[in-house]
């Protein structure tokens, strides 16, 4: 077998991620891939990698919005390493396309992934890829106001999917967004890893598609308990360990950009220096003190604090 695609969606890093179900999904997917023995593995993430902020009043964040892109990149890197994938395809979701303090979250995610040397191919909503003899339409969501949170594949969702297929001449549409799991000959809906108290949304997992069009669901149920603080503490520890694993891995360079007063500042600096400055900033040291301590230009700590990967 030449190639397999592993489809996942709606990680919602920064919110109440069902990390135990994610770990179990990765474990079972690794076992299946070891059995299939493909020559190429492609991970496809169909949006909502991060949770974002100010989306609804019941939103629960475990990481600051400015840090979500970084943690998301670490988790994607972990998926790449665990599943030994050769390539990552990402479509941004509605949560990823939000901004925080003027910073585009999806651009930040891509910048951090580049710094981690992850081979990412960015696709647009509605792009088509070919798997075997099938044309696959990639979408985060299948139209707006489509009854998406009804807890299953609704007639309106199926109708919208069929309309997209007729418009594009694709054979199958694969989408996330709705936090439910469904497979029909025309549509595959991917479950979410965002915790929810409603059992309708407790499906978790991924879908493996081979180049001879075998569809292998890797599905489990809600596994992380967030009904008490202990679950949140476990999630924070899990994210911290992922971050610790990859934060200092890249010894290359990082390119930072900052726009202010109509002027764009761009610098390339070693990742180790960037991480040292970032650590001191997070510890609360004044920017001028950091510049003196590290014997660098005074503008550099400001660029690290207010700039973004570009």
């Amino acid at each position: 077998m030449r190639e397999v695609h592993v489809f996942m969606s709606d990680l919602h890093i920064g919110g109440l991620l069902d990390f135990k179900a994610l770990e179990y999904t990765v474990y079972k997917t690794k076992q299946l891939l070891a059995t299939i023995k493909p020559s190429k593995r492609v991970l496809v993430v169909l949006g909502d990698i991060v949770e974002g902020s100010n989306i609804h009043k019941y939103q629960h964040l475990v990481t600051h919005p400015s840090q979500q892109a970084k943690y998301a990149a670490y988790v994607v890197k972990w998926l790449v390493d665990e599943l030994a994938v050769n390539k990552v395809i990402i479509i941004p979701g509605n949560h990823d396309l939000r901004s925080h303090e003027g910073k585009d979250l999806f651009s930040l995610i891509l910048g951090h992934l580049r710094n981690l040397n992850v081979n990412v191919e960015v696709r647009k909503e509605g792009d088509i890829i070919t798997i075997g003899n099938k044309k696959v339409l990639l979408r985060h969501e299948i139209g707006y106001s489509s009854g998406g949170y009804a807890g299953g594949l609704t007639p309106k969702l199926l109708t919208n999917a069929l309309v997209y297929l007729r418009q594009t001449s694709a054979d199958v549409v694969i989408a996330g967004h709705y936090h439910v799991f469904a497979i029909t000959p025309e549509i595959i809906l991917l479950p979410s890893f965002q915790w929810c108290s409603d059992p309708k949304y407790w499906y978790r997992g991924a879908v493996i598609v081979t180049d001879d069009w075998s569809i292998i669901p890797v599905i489990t149920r809600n596994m992380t308990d967030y009904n008490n603080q202990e679950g949140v503490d476990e999630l924070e520890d899990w994210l911290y360990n992922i971050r610790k694993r990859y934060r200092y891995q890249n010894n290359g360079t990082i390119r930072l950009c900052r726009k202010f007063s109509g002027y764009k500042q761009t610098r390339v600096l070693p990742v180790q220096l960037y991480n040292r400055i970032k650590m001191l900033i997070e510890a609360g040291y004044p920017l001028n003190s950091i510049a003196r301590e590290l014997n660098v230009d005074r503008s550099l700590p400001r660029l690290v604090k207010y700039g973004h990967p570009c």
Side-chain angles (χ1 to χ4, degrees), residues 207-263:
V207 173
I208 301 172
V209 180
T210 66
D211 56 4
D212 61 358
W213 203 248
S214 295
I215 301 174
I216 308 169
V218 186
I219 301 299
T220 183
R221 297 279 279 177
N222 184 56
M223 297 180 72
T224 308
D225 182 10
Y226 287 118
N227 290 312
N228 52 59
Q229 183 61 36
E230 183 179 349
V232 177
D233 293 341
E234 289 179 347
L235 172 60
E236 290 176 344
D237 290 342
W238 186 82
L239 288 171
Y240 173 77
N241 289 329
I242 294 285
R243 178 191 184 207
K244 187 167 66 172
R245 176 174 176 178
Y246 292 113
R247 184 175 185 184
Y248 297 105
Q249 176 176 305
N250 186 359
N251 293 320
T253 59
I254 181 171
R255 182 184 180 89
L256 294 176
C257 295
R258 178 189 174 202
K259 292 182 179 179
F260 59 98
S261 302
Y263 173 72

Side-chain angles (χ1 to χ4, degrees), residues 4 6-8 19-38 41 78-79 82-83 193 204-208 216-221 223:
V4 298
V6 179
F7 288 87
M8 303 178 76
F19 71 96
K20 293 181 180 179
L22 180 59
E23 284 189 322
Y24 180 80
T25 300
V26 169
Y27 169 72
K28 295 299 291 184
T29 303
K30 286 171 64 176
Q31 288 186 323
L32 288 167
L33 292 177
T35 302
I36 297 170
K37 297 180 180 178
R41 307 177 183 195
W78 172 72
L79 292 172
E82 291 294 313
L83 300 177
F193 287 94
R204 310 278 182 259
V207 173
I208 301 172
I216 308 169
V218 186
I219 301 299
T220 183
R221 297 279 279 177
M223 297 180 72

Side-chain angles (χ1 to χ4, degrees), residues 8-13 17 22 47-49 75 79 193-194:
M8 303 178 76
S9 186
D10 293 86
L11 296 170
H12 289 273
I13 306 299
L17 165 70
L22 180 59
D48 282 358
I49 306 169
V75 173
L79 292 172
F193 287 94
Q194 184 182 42

Side-chain angles (χ1 to χ4, degrees), residues 138-195:
L138 303 179
R139 295 198 64 89
H140 174 62
E141 52 187 319
I142 310 172
Y144 299 101
S145 301
S146 49
Y149 295 103
L153 179 57
T154 64
K156 195 167 188 179
L157 276 176
L158 185 56
T159 300
N160 286 348
L162 294 175
V163 169
Y164 280 125
L165 293 179
R166 285 198 299 269
Q167 291 174 344
T168 61
S169 299
D171 300 297
V172 181
V173 56
I174 302 181
H177 183 64
Y178 303 104
H179 296 200
V180 296
F181 170 64
I183 294 181
T184 76
E186 298 86 10
I187 179 173
I188 298 175
L189 288 184
L190 301 171
S192 165
F193 287 94
Q194 184 182 42
W195 183 85

